[in-house]
Amino acid sequence: MEGVLTRTPTGRPRVAAVGAILFVCLVGAPLMSLFPVAVWDLALGLGLGRPELETLLVTPVAVGGTVLMVLIAACLLGGAGVRQPALCACLVAGTSLATPLVMALLSPTFAPVPGDSQVNGAVVSAVVATAALGACVVFGRRRHRHGVLPGVAVAAAALLLLPMAAEHTRDRSTERRSISQISGFGHTIAVLDHPKWSPVRVHEVHGGLRMTYVAGEEADPLGTEPERKVPPQPEDGAAPTPDGPDGSSATREVAAGPGVGADRPEENSPKALHVLSWTPEQRASGIHDGCGFPGVECSEQDSMVVVHRGTDNGCGPHLSEVRTRLDDGAIASVHPHGAVAPEQLFAVANALRAETAGERDALIEEVLRG
């Protein structure tokens, strides 16, 4: 197969053909990528309430618009002296139509430039189309000319790599946000000083900086074993009292400290906890902030404030957070992620301390590593 560019007597590609290719890729491809969005908005704007009727009306518009775009691009490329203008136009149009679809389905978070999804789809379509026709030009200058096949391969590879690029971009964005949130927090950060817990995420929330810690593979991350109440043994000759629905004598786990714990032992080993470092504005309301609201019960134990909040399922109040004061007077609170035994939550609160000078760099490294 021949290449896509004609040549002057000196063997160099014509400038007009190169200009036409760049125009189709950099201007035509973004416009083509916006065509599916326009068709979709048209289908939604009909409001007929019958999907089959909307499809019947929109399909001729979609097919006709695609054919018209290919014809315009082919005429422009053919007039500039590009060989195989129809194939090149089909390659650009197919790439421009497929790129926004792939981005919407497989990499919706991929945003290489500021703007919404339509803007990013148009930019990525232009880049992919330029790379595809550029590969056709490069391989067309060699002895073995392959036509548009190199461009098809480049476009397919680029579309397959979009999800990986989106994942890398999201990771980089998360890293930058974590660094800025930790280094830019102008108040004391509470640190969970325990080797079996490691920070993995950080978020700025209302009232402070929330760090998420995850536990290791150990069943009991803080080395505490829940107390158990042994049911009374029946007297000699008496039948055991069935505590469970199956008639067996059930053992109920007793939560250490005030409040209601989980009844299922397998849920009493938390895998994640949230540690919230309060801002001075939130701290100004006092450590008992919100305790007067309906459905909120607060109690003090060992200089900590234990907060229970009611539920709508009739199970009564559940342990919501444990608040404590750090050495420098700052306030931090521990929030369970899922069901958690209260004694473990109290142990985590006791292990909290205020950050030391220069510790934020090490904290950032731990979050990024996690």
Side-chain angles (χ1 to χ4, degrees):
M1 298 177 65
E2 296 180 350
V4 299
L5 290 182
T6 58
R7 294 178 179 273
T8 62
T10 59
R12 295 180 181 178
R14 291 173 51 183
V15 176
V18 175
I21 290 176
L22 291 178
F23 180 81
V24 170
C25 293
L26 300 180
V27 179
L31 295 177
M32 294 178 187
S33 67
L34 298 176
F35 178 71
V37 180
V39 174
W40 178 254
D41 292 339
L42 175 62
L44 295 179
L46 293 176
L48 299 178
R50 298 179 60 183
E52 62 277 5
L53 184 56
E54 292 179 355
T55 302
L56 182 62
L57 295 177
V58 171
T59 299
V61 178
V63 175
T66 303
V67 173
L68 181 61
M69 289 188 298
V70 172
L71 290 178
I72 293 175
C75 292
L76 181 61
L77 295 175
V82 176
R83 294 194 180 105
Q84 304 178 9
L87 291 178
C88 293
C90 291
L91 175 60
V92 175
T95 301
S96 303
L97 297 177
T99 300
L101 182 61
V102 173
M103 291 182 63
L105 296 179
L106 301 180
S107 54
T109 60
F110 185 52
V113 297
D116 55 11
S117 58
Q118 288 82 8
V119 173
N120 283 274
V123 172
V124 175
S125 298
V127 173
V128 175
T130 304
L133 283 191
C136 296
V137 172
V138 171
F139 283 91
R141 299 177 61 183
R142 299 182 179 180
R143 178 179 301 179
H144 302 286
R145 300 174 181 175
H146 307 283
V148 297
L149 293 181
V152 174
V154 170
L159 295 179
L160 291 177
L161 290 176
L162 277 180
M164 298 177 59
E167 185 71 21
H168 177 72
T169 303
R170 182 167 57 250
D171 292 342
R172 295 283 297 181
S173 177
T174 302
E175 291 180 2
R176 290 194 298 267
R177 185 171 61 251
S178 300
I179 293 174
S180 63
Q181 288 176 344
I182 294 177
S183 60
F185 191 68
H187 318 293
T188 302
I189 297 179
V191 179
L192 176 53
D193 196 5
H194 197 281
K196 295 181 181 180
W197 290 92
S198 58
V200 293
R201 288 185 301 276
V202 59
H203 296 90
E204 282 192 71
V205 298
H206 176 69
L209 186 71
R210 188 186 72 185
M211 299 196 67
T212 302
Y213 286 80
V214 296
E217 298 297 331
E218 295 82 358
D220 194 357
L222 287 166
T224 59
E225 290 295 335
E227 300 178 1
R228 295 183 180 274
K229 180 186 295 183
V230 180
Q233 300 296 328
E235 298 180 358
D236 296 339
T241 302
D243 294 331
D246 55 353
S248 61
S249 185
T251 301
R252 177 181 174 85
E253 189 168 343
V254 178
V260 180
D263 294 337
R264 286 174 288 183
E266 65 270 16
E267 292 184 353
N268 282 340
S269 295
K271 294 300 181 182
L273 289 168
H274 301 309
V275 176
L276 179 65
S277 303
W278 289 24
T279 61
E281 293 78 13
Q282 181 74 10
R283 188 177 15 178
S285 302
I287 197 171
H288 293 85
D289 179 43
C291 291
F293 292 156
V296 180
E297 301 178 3
C298 297
S299 59
E300 294 189 7
Q301 178 176 343
D302 298 334
S303 70
M304 293 182 294
V305 175
V306 185
V307 181
H308 292 78
R309 288 183 171 86
T311 58
D312 296 330
N313 55 9
C315 297
H318 67 279
L319 183 60
S320 176
E321 59 178 302
V322 176
R323 303 172 181 176
T324 183
R325 289 189 180 275
L326 305 180
D327 295 337
D328 62 349
I331 299 177
S333 55
V334 182
H335 304 255
H337 185 71
V340 52
E343 66 270 15
Q344 293 181 338
L345 207 62
F346 301 146
V348 169
N350 282 325
L352 292 180
R353 61 171 177 81
E355 60 174 324
T356 59
E359 191 178 9
R360 293 199 177 187
D361 293 337
L363 198 59
I364 291 174
E365 292 181 2
E366 287 190 64
V367 172
L368 297 183
R369 187 171 59 249

